[in-house]
Amino acid sequence: MPPALGDHGQTLGEAGEAATLARIFPRLPEADAALLGPGDDAAVLRAPDGRYVVTTDTMVHGPDFRRAWSSPHDLGWKAAATNLADVAAMGAVPTALVVALVAPPETPVSDLEAFADGLRDACAALAPGCGVVGGDLSASGTLTIAVTAFGDLQSREPVLRSGARPGDVVALAGRLGLAATGLLLLFERGVDADGIPDAAAAARLRAAAPGPVDAQLAPSPPIAAGPAAARARATAMLDVSDGLAIDARRIAAASGVALDLDPAAIAAIAGTGIDPRVALSGGEDHALLATFPPDAVLPPGFAPIGRVVEGAGLLVDGRPFDGRGGWDPYADWDGAAG
Amino acid sequence: MPPALGDHGQTLGEAGEAATLARIFPRLPEADAALLGPGDDAAVLRAPDGRYVVTTDTMVHGPDFRRAWSSPHDLGWKAAATNLADVAAMGAVPTALVVALVAPPETPVSDLEAFADGLRDACAALAPGCGVVGGDLSASGTLTIAVTAFGDLQSREPVLRSGARPGDVVALAGRLGLAATGLLLLFERGVDADGIPDAAAAARLRAAAPGPVDAQLAPSPPIAAGPAAARARATAMLDVSDGLAIDARRIAAASGVALDLDPAAIAAIAGTGIDPRVALSGGEDHALLATFPPDAVLPPGFAPIGRVVEGAGLLVDGRPFDGRGGWDPYADWDGAAG
């Protein structure tokens, strides 16, 4: 007997691929840019100015998330949000996503429905008009989510990492250290007595400290600030995924300059309750870090945090800053999941 | 000490993400359509006619491949080839790929280099000018490859599954049953005495029967035949990934017609040594199945295999064919890897 639609007790293995897709498709957001959506061998998208922006990012159970902490809705939201941020960091408007989901056969189909709802809600909240135009569903012992995102440059040039010039203002839109603080809290208080990630403990923590925990599990990067920065003649931009220190050094290296950051401005963005070191080193906030010509009017959401100067690397308050920060999935993952 | 470039004994975990990428990037094929390639938050691609085609497909260790049978070069080749076939099935010319690779930390970096070489060699052989414009590298216990591919419609309309009309000729470019025969051979003779996939046995088998084993492990779908079919006014097309019977039914269902296939023509394409049932049910050949108006001149590579008729579903030699075929990763994977 074919599985009944709406039977939320079924697993992927019981429902099979076709019935699962039939339940997911109606929940996915439609893309304004889609000329042809899911269902054929490929989708067809509009590229009004004759170019398109493409980025891809993967989330893997273990190194990138814990099932005890992240709901399926969180995973859909975060998978969308992180890719939307990469599109925005080029100065482009996100138009569409394709989503490859690799899930254990014992996963409830209802988890996939909630995952699709997370994709839809993140697109609606962060990049209205952006939708899911295709995907792939496969089986694996390790839940893995690979999203590819597309964007429209609206006839502007892309904002690269390499355009910062001495004298430019360094500015940031979004949060600093909040997602990393959320992760530290989860490792401290979202665990059981043996230190194992625990859903009930994480739920209590999230109710008590929604700001940092939401920032970690379902981040809301300032997507609209990306195209706004491009319109304001940003000379360089990226999204701060690995930590401000590491990502500022990336702009410095690509542009052949140094970035001199103001610790007071960073502390002001981070706010009370965020360790300034975490504001510099903590990843996953997906803030947009950009440089602007000295005479530019910073677009709404951006606050100045420093200056581009001659030299190389990162300075904080005029002094070389060698502090580490960031995350390497091969060097830093301890192999744990949960 | 940072790892030395060219140290082929290192694992991903030892080399870390940045050093690994530095070794992979130079091996990846460049895309003619790339305005901006890997290295920034996103790539920028040309879409000369204001549209682009997008498809994504995932390969997972276990359900989709065995490490004892597929070399890293095979995996790169097959990941590219299967996605190129989906682009071609729209009538589009493949332009670019993005590749998300999720690999265990103990994977040798040299395996990733060979994987990149496989991507490059498949693009060069099957879709010259197509290249890799971006990607993502993550850690997982399960080797997983997610490729998203792009194509250029060259100002033609996309060829959908839904355009077949009674009277049209059904034609096929590529092979039938060869990849499935290779898989059957691997399960029979590419194993040790306990039935476990075995590299040495598979190597001997591949030397003895390169046709079917290569078709399974490193397929060469007729990519150029896709755009050629579109130029020849194909009314419907898809790539035969799940088996001729299943995929012919998909065109029939989407178009509201029946497809009546000629068993002699199918047997002639399959050739000697291929069981006719396997030619109908066997997947992974990525042949292009298309329908053409009765007066169309079939482009090179396409052979007629039947007619579109009024009705529904699949007929073989005028009689309804209910035989199953194909592959569902949730229903059909037994959980084994190797």
Side-chain angles (χ1 to χ4, degrees), chain B residues 204-318:
Chain B
R204 286 192 298 272
L205 170 64
R206 197 167 187 171
V213 178
D214 284 350
Q216 170 58 224
L217 301 179
S220 292
I223 303 301
R231 286 189 291 269
R233 299 183 293 125
T235 51
M237 184 157 53
L238 51 58
D239 93 297
V240 182
S241 51
D242 293 330
L244 179 59
I246 279 190
D247 286 317
R249 285 194 194 100
R250 288 184 171 137
I251 286 184
S255 299
V257 297
L259 266 59
D260 185 4
L261 302 183
D262 173 3
I266 291 168
I269 290 174
T272 52
I274 307 287
D275 184 320
R277 289 166 302 182
V278 175
L280 267 166
S281 68
E284 299 197 88
D285 281 308
H286 302 284
L288 294 174
L289 176 67
T291 58
F292 294 89
D295 63 339
V297 176
L298 295 187
F302 277 93
I305 62 166
R307 281 277 171 187
V308 180
V309 297
E310 304 271 0
L314 178 63
L315 312 174
V316 173
D317 209 12

Side-chain angles (χ1 to χ4, degrees), chain A residues 43 45 47 50 52 54-55 138 142 330, chain B residues 41 43 45 47 50 52 54 138 142 330:
Chain A
L45 291 177
Y52 56 106
V54 177
T55 184
S138 302
T142 308
Y330 295 108
Chain B
D41 290 79
L45 291 177
Y52 55 106
V54 177
S138 304
T142 308
Y330 294 107

Side-chain angles (χ1 to χ4, degrees), chain B:
Chain B
M1 195 181 80
L5 290 181
D7 177 352
H8 286 234
Q10 278 194 320
T11 66
L12 288 183
E14 291 160 356
E17 187 177 11
T20 301
L21 289 176
R23 281 169 60 177
I24 295 173
F25 272 179
R27 310 180 90 98
L28 294 173
E30 291 186 12
D32 292 346
L35 295 164
L36 178 72
D40 223 291
D41 290 79
V44 182
L45 291 177
R46 271 184 246 277
D49 82 356
R51 302 166 301 168
Y52 55 106
V53 160
V54 177
T55 184
T56 193
D57 197 42
T58 311
M59 285 169 41
V60 183
H61 182 204
D64 295 321
F65 60 84
R66 309 296 163 105
R67 295 297 307 273
W69 294 342
S70 291
S71 71
H73 189 279
D74 289 335
L75 294 176
W77 180 291
K78 186 165 180 172
T82 53
N83 278 279
L84 295 172
D86 280 323
V87 170
M90 303 300 287
V93 174
T95 52
L97 310 173
V98 295
V99 182
L101 184 68
V102 186
E106 64 270 22
T107 307
V109 176
S110 58
D111 279 8
L112 268 74
E113 294 179 315
F115 174 79
D117 292 347
L119 292 169
R120 182 194 63 214
D121 293 344
C123 286
L126 305 175
C130 181
V132 176
V133 297
D136 188 43
L137 191 57
S138 304
S140 165
T142 308
L143 179 61
T144 302
I145 302 155
V147 173
T148 303
F150 309 104
D152 175 15
L153 287 164
Q154 299 182 320
S155 301
R156 294 181 299 268
E157 286 309 296
V159 183
L160 310 185
R161 299 175 176 192
S162 52
R165 296 291 168 261
D168 283 356
V169 174
V170 180
L172 186 126
R175 303 301 304 252
L176 281 178
L178 197 62
T181 299
L183 188 62
L184 291 170
L185 285 171
L186 283 162
F187 273 112
E188 281 173 13
R189 294 165 50 190
V191 293
D192 65 16
D194 298 321
I196 307 296
D198 181 79
R204 286 192 298 272
L205 170 64
R206 197 167 187 171
V213 178
D214 284 350
Q216 170 58 224
L217 301 179
S220 292
I223 303 301
R231 286 189 291 269
R233 299 183 293 125
T235 51
M237 184 157 53
L238 51 58
D239 93 297
V240 182
S241 51
D242 293 330
L244 179 59
I246 279 190
D247 286 317
R249 285 194 194 100
R250 288 184 171 137
I251 286 184
S255 299
V257 297
L259 266 59
D260 185 4
L261 302 183
D262 173 3
I266 291 168
I269 290 174
T272 52
I274 307 287
D275 184 320
R277 289 166 302 182
V278 175
L280 267 166
S281 68
E284 299 197 88
D285 281 308
H286 302 284
L288 294 174
L289 176 67
T291 58
F292 294 89
D295 63 339
V297 176
L298 295 187
F302 277 93
I305 62 166
R307 281 277 171 187
V308 180
V309 297
E310 304 271 0
L314 178 63
L315 312 174
V316 173
D317 209 12
R319 287 184 291 274
F321 181 82
D322 297 323
R324 182 170 181 280
W327 160 256
D328 182 314
Y330 294 107
D332 297 338
W333 179 40
D334 64 1

